[in-house]
Amino acid sequence: MPPYLRIDLDGFIHLGVPSSEMGQGIHTTLAMMLAEELEVEMAQIKHIETLHHPDFKHPTFSKWTNNSLNAQMTGGSVSIRAWHQPFRKLGATARELLRRAASQQWKVPVSECKAANGKIMHSRSGLSLGYGELVGFASRLNPPKNPILKHSKHFRLLGKSINRWDTPDKVNGTAIFGTDVDLPGMLYGTVRHCKIFGEKLISVDDTKAKAVPGVITVIPLEDQAVVVADSTWAAIRGAEELILHTSGGHKDLSDKSFFRQFRTDLQKKGVPVAYRVDSGITNGNYSRVLELEYESPMQAHFAMEPLCATASVTSDGCEVWAPTQSSDFAMMMAMGVTELPPEKIKVNTTYLG
């Protein structure tokens, strides 16, 4: 069932998942869902990656927004809500294919073939075959539409304390985060933004920046300037030496002005995005209704890692590596910059820090 699931001939498993791993443990949890139904141990899962795929549009966000937000993304603490059933079903589907493959090779009823510990065992003869030995034959069978899922009382992994799958690589330094991507001949860039929101660049004095060893060029944009260099350090040093001449900007922006504008906008006619209400209220079956209003100040969601991305653009296409919560949004940005069609762009999601 590539690209979501691949079992090697040695029995090790490669898993493609829809959610970005940013420390919340979603790679481990989705792997547990699959392993529970597939009847394998977590140690048999060799590789997990966040896979950009059209089948991975987030069903919960789509439902909540009446399909207005139909994208592959991670957020809102709803990854398990969205994907626990699909990944259990994925594991159960693979399990049933392997059982059928074994039953046909042994010419015995499927009911006599039991999955356990990455093997299919024949209950009467004691014969067994590893998943890797069966995967070629199983891949040629038609998958069941509605495989039976395990009852919770038979769970081996779910609900138990399981070691994080990604911890060893994060401890020994082999885990790939955004700034760990290193391509031959790559250049480095950093951005110097206008200080005030809404400001525009009039001109850039880059004399001192270009004097920094390693700085190659400075690219002025509408509200920022990009310093390109042969190292991260040179790019950062060059950006510090830029002198930006700007105009305009919203100097009066504050939490008070935001909330004042919000209240004004609430009086205008809008477009409903989602509607969620308890049926008891709509039917009048209530004794008291509490109406509450919550306000949250504008705050930056600071990342512990440097905000970053790497792109390789050639005449054949574009490949992006990014610690992003939405590979679809990364795809949209790459399409806008390169003017390439989506089939010529590949997005790789690294670990997020």
Side-chain angles (χ1 to χ4, degrees):
M1 290 173 283
Y4 328 116
L5 173 64
R6 190 181 86 238
I7 301 176
D8 289 338
L9 296 178
D10 58 10
F12 284 107
I13 294 167
H14 298 252
L15 183 62
V17 301
S19 305
S20 302
E21 176 56 68
M22 45 186 170
Q24 83 280 41
I26 192 61
H27 277 191
T28 301
T29 310
L30 291 179
M32 288 171 64
M33 301 286 179
L34 176 108
E36 184 69 73
E37 296 290 347
L38 186 53
E39 300 292 359
V40 298
E41 299 302 323
M42 291 291 287
Q44 288 178 251
I45 299 178
K46 184 178 182 179
H47 180 72
I48 305 174
E49 67 173 308
T50 301
L51 186 69
H52 185 218
H53 197 279
D55 288 348
F56 285 160
K57 306 295 184 185
H58 202 294
T60 304
F61 289 136
S62 296
K63 179 181 178 180
W64 284 354
T65 62
N66 298 326
N67 293 319
S68 296
L69 183 57
N70 188 32
Q72 181 176 345
M73 57 190 303
T74 306
S77 299
V78 290
S79 291
I80 294 301
R81 178 175 184 154
W83 301 112
H84 77 284
Q85 283 293 95
F87 272 77
R88 285 187 62 194
K89 186 176 179 180
L90 178 62
T93 299
R95 179 193 69 220
E96 294 309 304
L97 285 171
L98 292 162
R99 290 180 65 219
R100 282 168 49 197
S103 73
Q104 291 183 27
Q105 289 201 29
W106 291 328
K107 296 180 172 55
V108 299
V110 176
S111 59
E112 296 180 2
C113 299
K114 179 183 178 182
N117 298 319
K119 297 179 180 180
I120 302 296
M121 294 176 286
H122 184 218
S123 59
R124 296 180 63 185
S125 68
L127 292 172
S128 69
L129 287 170
Y131 286 176
E133 298 174 276
L134 292 165
V135 68
F137 191 93
S139 66
R140 296 190 290 272
L141 301 176
N142 292 322
K145 290 185 178 180
N146 294 296
I148 297 175
L149 302 183
K150 294 169 65 174
H151 191 281
S152 58
K153 66 182 180 182
H154 298 305
F155 284 168
R156 303 171 301 105
L157 300 173
L158 298 182
K160 308 297 192 300
S161 179
I162 301 295
N163 291 335
R164 285 277 295 266
W165 185 88
D166 51 340
T167 296
D169 286 354
K170 289 180 176 178
V171 171
N172 65 30
T174 59
I176 301 298
F177 289 83
T179 54
D180 292 321
V181 177
D182 188 12
L183 305 179
M186 67 185 287
L187 298 178
Y188 301 82
T190 194
V191 176
R192 178 78 178 272
H193 291 276
C194 294
K195 288 187 176 181
I196 298 175
F197 181 76
E199 273 188 325
K200 305 299 180 186
L201 278 182
I202 299 174
S203 62
V204 179
D205 183 347
D206 58 13
T207 305
K208 291 183 178 179
K210 288 183 175 179
V212 174
V215 170
I216 296 170
T217 191
V218 176
I219 305 172
L221 301 175
E222 185 180 28
D223 58 358
Q224 58 192 271
V226 182
V227 178
V228 181
D230 60 10
S231 70
T232 305
W233 179 243
I236 293 173
R237 286 291 316 282
E240 292 172 348
E241 297 295 336
L242 287 176
I243 300 174
L244 306 183
H245 300 287
T246 65
S247 66
H250 304 283
K251 298 180 176 64
D252 60 341
L253 283 183
S254 65
D255 285 339
K256 288 184 178 180
S257 67
F258 281 133
F259 289 127
R260 185 166 55 247
Q261 186 63 52
F262 289 158
R263 294 189 180 94
T264 300
D265 291 343
L266 283 173
Q267 308 306 314
K268 302 176 183 178
K269 186 176 180 180
V271 178
V273 175
Y275 182 71
R276 302 174 67 192
V277 67
D278 187 278
S279 59
I281 294 178
T282 58
N283 296 331
N285 299 326
Y286 56 88
S287 58
R288 185 171 61 168
V289 175
L290 296 178
E291 185 173 327
L292 305 174
E293 182 178 293
Y294 297 90
E295 293 183 353
S296 178
M298 297 295 290
Q299 299 183 57
H301 287 244
F302 284 107
M304 293 179 67
E305 67 177 332
L307 298 179
C308 58
T310 301
S312 175
V313 183
T314 68
S315 57
D316 297 323
C318 170
E319 188 166 4
V320 177
W321 293 261
T324 177
Q325 288 179 241
S326 177
S327 45
D328 270 353
F329 293 170
M331 169 70 77
M332 291 165 55
M333 294 299 295
M335 289 172 62
V337 173
T338 65
E339 298 183 351
L340 290 169
E343 60 269 18
K344 289 194 173 184
I345 300 174
K346 181 180 180 181
V347 177
N348 305 283
T349 302
T350 65
Y351 283 127
L352 280 66

